[in-house]
Amino acid sequence: MTKVMIMDHPLIQHKIGIIRNEKTEHKVFRELVSEISMLMAYEVTRDLALEDEVIRTPMAQTTVKTLQEDQVSLIPILRAGLGMIDGMLTLIPNARVGFVGLYRDHDTSKPIEYYCKLPDIVDESLSIVLDPMLATGGSAIAAINLIKAKGGKNIKFVCLIAAPEGIEALSKAHPDVDIYAAAKDERLNEINYILPGLGDAGDRLYGTK
Ligand code: PRP
Ligand code: URA
């Protein structure tokens, strides 16, 4: 069954408040999306496997714990997921990075795929899918379908703002995928934008309209 974690740490809530504000321009918006992603990386990676390694300190031999960081794949959904990459890489610098290009059709809100380049996925590896917005859930479901088709088994989905409708759809389609969000909002509007949300995440990040 899907685990849904709303990461409402005060630092995250404060930064989410700033990016929701329509007065926040793209430079600050981008910086904050990156910072929030870095803070979220801490919790999302909490159950990563560790291996023992024997080393010498200047005083004695000891066994330390090490991560197999290259067994983590970060997979942003283009465009807006790109804004979450740098923050995540700050904490997991050796992660592999894959890309899934999807955009929502304006009339149907269904995702259209235009690009997919994923790293090799081995059994023990963790795939972390990144997208600031989980609205209808269509884009997240489509991206995870592509990762599973390539052999991905251990997958987590990380977003900033989630609509209840998206959480429900994603949990139903992929009950094995845990969802991490910085905020759970009220609902979708009639054109499937999140309320109160933050508007179009791609446009807010890159200053486009
Ligand atoms: C946004 C967002 C998600 C998707 C969420 O992307 O970044 O990928 O919408 O909506 P959904 O849950 O209903 O699928 P958009 O399609 O606007 O593309 P863009 O990132 O290229 O602007
Ligand atoms: N995509 C966005 O960028 N924002 C929304 O509110 C919904 C989908």
Side-chain angles (χ1 to χ4, degrees):
M1 210 176 102
T2 306
K3 181 174 92 180
V4 180
M5 180 167 296
I6 308 300
M7 299 183 54
D8 55 0
H9 187 285
L11 291 174
I12 294 179
Q13 286 194 55
H14 176 74
K15 292 173 197 294
I16 288 283
I18 300 172
I19 63 172
R20 283 189 194 277
N21 192 329
E22 64 181 1
K23 292 186 182 138
T24 302
E25 303 266 5
H26 52 273
K27 174 180 179 287
V28 174
F29 189 95
R30 265 203 302 269
E31 288 166 357
L32 290 172
V33 167
S34 194
E35 287 172 19
I36 297 166
S37 305
M38 186 180 71
L39 293 169
M40 293 183 80
Y42 186 76
E43 190 58 37
V44 174
T45 52
R46 177 176 286 283
D47 54 6
L48 279 185
L50 292 166
E51 289 186 355
D52 285 346
E53 186 185 346
V54 178
I55 58 130
R56 284 199 64 83
T57 74
M59 310 302 291
Q61 180 170 297
T62 189
T63 303
V64 295
K65 302 286 181 191
T66 58
L67 280 174
Q68 296 302 303
E69 277 183 62
D70 63 346
Q71 290 190 7
V72 178
S73 296
L74 301 175
I75 304 171
I77 301 178
L78 307 179
R79 277 181 304 169
L82 277 181
M84 299 175 73
I85 273 289
D86 285 351
M88 287 270 163
L89 282 173
T90 303
L91 289 198
I92 332 165
N94 289 310
R96 297 173 194 276
V97 182
F99 301 90
V100 175
L102 297 169
Y103 68 89
R104 291 199 317 179
D105 179 273
H106 277 294
D107 298 324
T108 64
S109 294
K110 299 278 180 246
I112 313 283
E113 182 189 334
Y114 60 90
Y115 188 73
C116 182
K117 181 83 180 167
L118 298 174
D120 285 338
I121 293 169
V122 290
D123 266 1
E124 324 77 74
S125 69
L126 169 67
S127 301
I128 303 177
V129 183
L130 305 171
D131 194 325
M133 310 305 276
L134 178 65
T136 65
S139 303
I141 293 168
I144 293 166
N145 286 342
L146 291 166
I147 296 163
K148 286 190 174 176
K150 215 171 168 216
K153 291 193 181 74
N154 183 11
I155 303 171
K156 295 176 190 251
F157 179 79
V158 183
C159 62
L160 303 190
I161 312 274
E165 295 90 334
I167 292 177
E168 195 184 332
L170 179 52
S171 315
K172 209 164 156 196
H174 295 294
D176 55 320
V177 174
D178 292 339
I179 302 172
Y180 295 78
K184 181 177 173 184
D185 274 13
E186 286 162 26
R187 63 181 173 88
L188 297 178
N189 71 4
E190 61 290 347
I191 53 165
N192 291 321
Y193 272 75
I194 301 175
L195 294 178
L198 48 73
D200 185 301
D203 286 344
R204 299 284 317 270
L205 274 164
Y206 301 115
T208 51
K209 266 273 169 352

